[in-house]
Amino acid sequence: MSNPGDYFYGWNLLYKTIEKDINKKDDLLIALVHFVLTKHSQFRCIGLGENKTLAEEEESSGSELLPDNWNADEHNYALRYIYDKLLYILLGLRTEGSIIITLLNVKTRKVSNICLSPDELVSDIRGSITKMIPSASQLTDRYRRELLEPVYQGQNKSTTTQTNTTSTTTDRPDPLRIGMPLHPLGQYHPAGVEPRPFGFPEVGRGDLDPFARGGHGNLLPFPSHPGPGGMQPRFDPFGPLPDRNIRPHPNPDHLPPPGFGGDYFM
């Protein structure tokens, strides 16, 4: 934060109202969460407890002050807040050497939590904010990022991220793609003809598709002059191609068996 003095403006007023109630370090950490919620996020505290039902009269009530007996329990804290007609519940649970602070959005059921060590963070329970909590600026930033944003601002961020992802999916490069995209701009493909996949050259394409641009492959082409009755089916001839002019009518005796001199093939 740019100016800690500006950020903590209003803390002294809150602290004066609860100073006589603070008797342990955990109280200061909960009070600082309350300050972040009410001063900088416009939450309003509507009382104590874990009741997840929001009464109609509570929607227009609430205060920036902590309610009476907010730290009466030695080990637990339970405070109810409202923002934009939505109910939030702040819980604090004292464990051995730590305190776990949880914030619940009752409507969305989103929950965030943070685990802190009061003995490491709190130096004193009397004095200025920087004397009591030397790392108050860093701690309030953690409250904002780890407690508040996941259940409050995080909802809007998630929507924005999904919208941007949808609109830019086609523009992102695919790290697994080899060669050009399937349908690069300006490339025309006739109807019924698929573009070559993954940008590979069309080697052997004709073996699978005789009509492909790569030609007929290893298969023999259609006759250039179809016979009577239109196009005839293709076949693999049993001799050399007639259009190559290589012995179109071979003599069956041109390779007699070895050791035989006569004409034994009638």
Side-chain angles (χ1 to χ4, degrees):
M1 70 188 58
S2 58
N3 192 337
D6 292 343
Y7 187 89
F8 289 106
Y9 182 79
W11 164 260
N12 289 336
L13 180 61
L14 172 65
Y15 178 73
K16 289 298 181 181
T17 63
I18 61 174
E19 183 177 8
K20 59 181 175 45
D21 300 324
I22 295 178
N23 52 53
K24 55 185 180 296
K25 295 180 177 181
D26 304 46
D27 295 343
L28 274 177
L29 298 180
I30 294 296
L32 189 57
V33 176
H34 173 86
F35 175 76
V36 173
L37 294 178
T38 57
K39 172 68 188 307
H40 294 284
S41 300
Q42 287 73 53
F43 278 51
R44 302 192 309 272
C45 185
I46 58 176
L48 303 175
E50 302 180 38
N51 184 5
K52 297 179 178 60
T53 302
L54 183 63
E56 185 175 352
E57 60 271 14
E58 291 179 320
E59 294 183 0
S60 57
S61 64
S63 171
E64 74 278 8
L65 300 178
L66 281 164
D68 294 337
N69 302 317
W70 63 276
N71 62 342
D73 194 304
E74 287 293 324
H75 302 286
N76 299 305
Y77 303 85
L79 298 167
R80 301 170 74 238
Y81 294 85
I82 186 173
Y83 175 80
D84 195 23
K85 299 183 179 181
L86 295 179
L87 179 63
Y88 295 81
I89 297 179
L90 180 72
L91 301 176
L93 174 63
R94 174 73 181 185
T95 61
E96 185 176 353
S98 302
I99 181 172
I100 301 174
I101 304 176
T102 301
L103 184 63
L104 166 67
N105 183 325
V106 174
K107 181 178 180 180
T108 64
R109 303 294 179 89
K110 290 186 176 181
V111 179
S112 61
N113 58 72
I114 185 173
C115 183
L116 304 173
S117 173
D119 291 334
E120 295 179 1
L121 294 172
V122 181
S123 300
D124 201 337
I125 60 174
R126 299 289 183 268
S128 65
I129 182 65
T130 54
K131 177 186 176 183
M132 294 184 294
I133 308 176
S135 60
S137 296
Q138 293 82 359
L139 182 57
T140 53
D141 188 60
R142 288 190 62 190
Y143 282 158
R144 178 182 56 81
R145 290 184 291 105
E146 300 179 35
L147 270 182
L148 186 59
E149 288 186 1
V151 300
Y152 169 56
Q153 295 180 359
Q155 299 175 50
N156 296 331
K157 285 186 177 182
S158 175
T159 303
T160 302
T161 302
Q162 292 175 2
T163 303
N164 292 340
T165 301
T166 303
S167 61
T168 59
T169 298
T170 56
D171 299 331
R172 292 180 302 173
D174 185 355
L176 300 180
R177 186 177 64 217
I178 303 175
M180 297 296 293
L182 294 182
H183 297 280
L185 293 175
Q187 183 172 344
Y188 169 74
H189 299 286
V193 177
E194 291 293 328
R196 59 186 182 180
F198 306 110
F200 290 130
E202 298 195 14
V203 177
R205 178 72 179 269
D207 295 338
L208 302 177
D209 183 4
F211 295 100
R213 288 171 293 174
H216 48 76
N218 293 330
L219 298 178
L220 295 174
F222 287 97
S224 56
H225 302 285
M231 189 69 72
Q232 299 297 318
R234 289 184 298 160
F235 66 95
D236 290 337
F238 48 81
L241 294 178
D243 58 353
R244 297 179 62 185
N245 198 26
I246 302 178
R247 287 200 297 270
H249 303 288
N251 185 347
D253 297 336
H254 71 286
L255 288 176
F260 292 86
D263 189 353
Y264 296 97
F265 298 92
M266 303 299 295

